[in-house]
Amino acid sequence: MKSFGGIRGAGLTVVRTDSGNDIPVPQSDDTANAGALIAENTEATEQDIAFTQALFKAYTFTSKIVRVPNQLLQDSGFDMDRFVTRTLARRIARAEATYFVTGTGTNEPEGILTNVATGHTAAATTDITYGELVELQYLVDPRYRAVGEWADLGRRREGPRRETDADGKPLYPELANGVLLGRPVTVDVGLPAVAATNTPIVFGDLSGFAIRDVASLVVTRLSERYAEYNQTGFILCYRTDSWKIASDSPYKALAMAAV
């Protein structure tokens, strides 16, 4: 799952529960409020916290049913049950990875890009400069920047790694070690391509985005359903959800220019 949906392997908050009941998560953007200096014997004023909440659900993902001939299950020289289960798990991973990035949050998980704040807009539609990456990084609040991570499209990293200066030296040598501007990079192929109006890069404290996993992957062996075909069915299901749990902007996106 981490390999197919890169942000799952980043610094996200992952919540695991045994049951799938809705879980309300309190939220409050209190960044506009500050404490006050008062004189001796002076009454303190009041300042309420405005609470909202995110609601973690448990959406069910399915691998779809696979029918395997019983002859293959009996005659194969290796563990077919394990092979099929691993294949179905990859299907689940591909499906959830898309929603974790672009899901609407309505009857489906919310993606990390759904309510992300735009930190910086690139000057071009298909190219990102070094300066623009620096701009995005420093538009994230310092307390989040210090623990920030990059999430980008794998193909985007390929270009910068080939870029060199006038002496032929790499402009981004640290990218070879999965680091950019001093912070780790996570590749997620679910992020959009570098194209007009897209947001292909996110930077900041990704723990402000959370994934809720329910129990574990459940594979069901349908031994009788396709008996007349002398086949055994397999299906794998998994319940999960994702949501931005931070009320402020611990991470921001780089948007490409419009056409």
Side-chain angles (χ1 to χ4, degrees):
M1 285 183 169
K2 289 181 179 179
S3 61
F4 285 103
I7 59 171
R8 179 183 271 278
L12 304 187
T13 298
V14 178
V15 180
R16 292 183 171 84
T17 60
D18 294 327
S19 63
N21 57 292
D22 291 355
I23 301 176
V25 180
Q27 296 178 310
S28 176
D29 185 355
D30 201 52
T31 53
N33 300 320
L37 175 67
I38 61 175
E40 186 176 353
N41 298 321
T42 301
E43 180 183 7
T45 58
E46 296 183 4
Q47 179 67 65
D48 290 336
I49 296 175
F51 286 104
T52 58
Q53 72 175 19
L55 190 64
F56 270 128
K57 293 185 174 294
Y59 296 106
T60 301
F61 286 82
T62 173
S63 63
K64 303 178 183 178
I65 297 173
V66 171
R67 294 159 62 170
V68 181
N70 288 334
Q71 293 93 329
L72 178 59
L73 292 174
Q74 295 168 354
D75 299 343
S76 177
F78 58 96
D79 189 344
M80 279 298 300
D81 285 57
R82 180 175 174 81
F83 176 83
V84 172
T85 300
R86 287 171 61 87
T87 301
L88 298 188
R90 293 189 184 104
R91 289 187 180 183
I92 296 287
R94 294 187 188 99
E96 69 169 20
T98 299
Y99 287 96
F100 289 164
V101 174
T102 58
T104 64
T106 302
N107 298 322
E108 64 186 41
E110 179 183 274
I112 195 169
L113 294 182
T114 302
N115 288 308
V116 68
T118 298
H120 180 70
T121 300
T125 59
T126 58
D127 186 54
I128 300 171
T129 68
Y130 178 85
E132 288 169 340
L133 294 174
V134 173
E135 184 76 9
L136 174 63
Q137 187 176 41
Y138 278 85
L139 283 171
V140 172
D141 189 280
R143 68 182 183 276
Y144 298 130
R145 188 192 318 147
V147 294
E149 297 180 60
W150 298 90
D152 77 347
L153 180 69
R155 292 187 294 274
R156 167 61 202 153
R157 294 176 66 191
E158 195 174 307
R161 286 193 65 181
R162 290 197 299 262
E163 293 176 11
T164 58
D165 61 18
D167 297 322
K169 297 179 180 179
L171 287 177
Y172 307 93
E174 56 186 356
L175 265 178
N177 297 317
V179 177
L180 177 62
L181 299 176
R183 300 307 305 163
V185 180
T186 294
V187 174
D188 193 308
V189 295
L191 286 163
V194 180
T197 70
N198 281 353
T199 51
I201 294 179
V202 175
F203 175 77
D205 182 1
L206 301 185
S207 68
F209 187 79
I211 293 174
R212 184 261 183 105
D213 292 328
V214 179
S216 59
L217 293 163
V218 178
V219 60
T220 303
R221 207 173 192 271
L222 307 175
S223 301
E224 304 296 332
R225 181 171 177 179
Y226 303 105
E228 69 272 30
Y229 299 101
N230 196 25
Q231 296 173 338
T232 297
F234 293 84
I235 184 171
L236 191 148
C237 294
Y238 194 54
R239 301 172 73 193
T240 188
D241 191 13
S242 59
W243 205 271
K244 180 185 176 184
I245 57 174
S247 301
D248 52 359
S249 300
Y251 53 84
K252 295 183 179 181
L254 177 73
M256 304 307 298
V259 177

